[in-house]
Amino acid sequence: MQRFAQERNVCHRTGALLCFIGLSYAAFSLTMFFTGSPNEYGEIIAITVATISFIKIGIAIRGMIVSHKTRNPLDSSVKFVTFIDAMLSLVVTQDVLLESQGTAHAAQSSDLFGIGVGTVAVIIGLWMLLRRKWTVAPNFNGRTD
């Protein structure tokens, strides 16, 4: 049970880290919303960024499903960080795709989306930080460690 308590502690600290990351990203997006930074990207760059982002999202979702079945707090922590990373890359993908097409107000809409994703990261981080009850999945011998 001591190992499980340590893993739960890591999960709580990861939640605090996700709160910090979410607040930082939302603050950065808010700053960019008001200052703006129009960029121009080519089609190849846009397609490459989109491909990488969607692969990251697929891997993150698969990892979260697998970690949910194992009910391991340490594994869940890593998978949540991977998921938030994938979601933040989705914001970059939106910006690059909109900018490559020359869409008006592309940066502002991406920044608003970034604020939203940052808020979601804070909510997930708070959930991980404040979660007290974890179920212990039995190991291969039928015991709980």
Side-chain angles (χ1 to χ4, degrees), residues 7-141:
E7 289 176 355
R8 188 178 58 216
N9 189 23
V10 168
C11 185
H12 289 172
R13 284 185 276 156
T14 303
L17 176 67
L18 286 179
C19 286
F20 176 74
I21 289 171
L23 287 172
S24 299
Y25 200 80
F28 175 75
S29 294
L30 187 64
T31 303
M32 294 303 292
F33 179 78
F34 289 113
T35 61
S37 64
N39 297 312
E40 291 187 24
Y41 301 101
E43 267 187 48
I44 299 296
I45 292 174
I47 291 170
T48 303
V49 168
T51 303
I52 292 169
S53 294
F54 287 112
I55 289 171
K56 286 171 68 172
I57 290 169
I59 291 170
I61 289 172
R62 183 193 175 281
M64 288 185 68
I65 291 170
V66 169
S67 74
H68 179 72
K69 291 178 182 177
T70 62
R71 296 183 181 163
N72 182 337
L74 189 59
D75 193 31
S76 293
S77 297
V78 171
K79 300 308 178 185
F80 272 116
V81 170
T82 304
F83 179 71
I84 294 300
D85 174 52
M87 293 306 296
L88 294 177
S89 70
L90 189 60
V91 175
V92 174
T93 300
Q94 176 188 345
D95 185 50
V96 169
L97 289 173
L98 290 175
E99 293 286 347
S100 73
Q101 298 299 313
T103 306
H105 306 295
Q108 289 83 7
S109 65
S110 297
D111 293 334
L112 289 174
F113 185 48
I115 292 168
V117 171
T119 302
V120 169
V122 169
I123 291 169
I124 290 173
L126 285 173
W127 175 76
M128 290 176 69
L129 183 63
L130 301 175
R131 186 172 179 185
R132 296 286 179 223
K133 183 179 179 185
W134 287 90
T135 57
V136 181
N139 64 13
F140 295 112
N141 299 331

